[in-house]
Amino acid sequence: MTTSAPTVVLVHGAFADASSFARVIPELLADGLEVLAPAVPNRSLLGDAAYIASIIRRIPGPVILVGHSYGGAVITVAGVEENVQALVYLAGYALEEGESLGELQGRFPDSELASALVFTPFPVEGSAEPGTDVTVETDKFPAVFAADVDPDLARTLAVSQRPLATAAFTEAAPVAAWKTKPSWGLVSSADRTINPDVERFGYQRAGMTTVEVDSSHLVMLAHPKRVADLIRETVRSTGA
């Protein structure tokens, strides 16, 4: 057990950015916690995890690593860093070692997201072959992604999405940090972006402490106090 104050590192998911934690961060700062919410490149699972791991390694004390959605897959890999004390998954993908996001998703019926995706080519430096970005149709984004978020904010989020490259869906996780780190998981039971059963399955397989919230996918904006309370519970339970 360590007595050093932890830093809470908040890892956003696809189609969003660090501002998706805007209502949770003030709650954590008010508790006197150190907080960091980096921008995830959303280019590849391995590359994104390596980037987040490099940030974690620069933090001198213990880290509570929080991942939303695709960010859950990222923390599954990056969370093996030595100073990570615990993992928190928010409506997230908890991959098994050797499993890709597409493989886990493919075990369950599609959510409404599947019919709302847009695929757009983008240039890849040094390659003649373009990559492919994935976003959500702007007119469908509020209902699919943020049904219980303020409508004006949801419309703003819809036109300011951070795309996810398709490569991120197919790369297998080389490690699964939840095997060695205590983990907590939040299921958004009204999620239309990820089938809630995908979340439940991953959490149960990992033996996580799990809670369910009647929320859209963007639970951090819809129910920030519930999310902050789960992070507080994690901090207390790890003695960080």
Side-chain angles (χ1 to χ4, degrees):
M1 182 178 296
T2 178
T3 57
S4 301
T7 298
V8 178
V9 177
L10 303 168
V11 181
H12 67 79
F15 322 130
D17 59 24
S19 67
S20 57
F21 291 104
R23 297 189 67 194
V24 172
I25 291 171
E27 295 268 342
L28 302 177
L29 292 177
D31 289 347
L33 292 167
E34 296 289 333
V35 180
L36 188 61
V40 183
N42 282 5
R43 299 294 83 191
S44 70
L45 175 59
L46 300 184
D48 294 341
Y51 177 71
I52 294 300
S54 73
I55 292 172
I56 293 168
R57 287 194 293 272
R58 295 198 298 268
I59 297 172
V63 167
I64 305 297
L65 193 55
V66 181
H68 173 246
S69 188
Y70 165 67
V74 175
I75 71 169
T76 296
V77 180
V80 297
E81 290 298 316
E82 185 177 356
N83 57 328
V84 173
Q85 300 296 299
L87 309 172
V88 181
Y89 291 78
L90 306 174
Y93 294 102
L95 300 180
E96 172 61 278
E97 183 177 336
E99 182 179 61
S100 72
L101 191 154
E103 287 170 340
L104 175 56
Q105 182 83 50
R107 295 179 179 179
F108 298 86
D110 285 339
S111 68
E112 294 179 34
L113 176 69
S115 62
L117 294 176
V118 178
F119 299 89
T120 307
F122 68 88
V124 177
E125 185 178 0
S127 174
E129 295 296 321
T132 303
D133 266 340
V134 186
T135 53
V136 183
E137 290 182 38
T138 55
D139 61 338
K140 294 182 178 180
F141 183 100
V144 171
F145 212 74
D148 51 358
V149 174
D150 175 82
D152 288 337
L153 176 56
R155 286 192 291 270
T156 298
L157 296 171
V159 299
S160 59
Q161 296 178 50
R162 190 180 187 96
L164 180 68
T166 55
F169 289 95
T170 58
E171 290 184 342
V175 292
W178 49 259
K179 291 179 179 288
T180 57
K181 308 291 174 97
S183 304
W184 282 254
L186 184 151
V187 175
S188 289
S189 59
D191 202 331
R192 300 178 187 175
T193 297
I194 299 177
N195 183 333
D197 285 339
V198 174
E199 302 165 22
R200 294 184 183 105
F201 173 80
Y203 300 168
Q204 290 167 4
R205 177 172 63 181
M208 294 186 198
T209 302
T210 303
V211 300
E212 299 217 5
V213 178
D214 183 15
S215 174
S216 71
H217 191 57
L218 280 178
V219 63
M220 312 89 70
L221 288 171
H223 301 277
K225 292 188 182 299
R226 294 293 300 276
V227 170
D229 282 345
L230 181 61
I231 295 170
R232 292 177 180 120
E233 177 187 337
T234 304
V235 171
R236 287 194 298 269
S237 296
T238 57

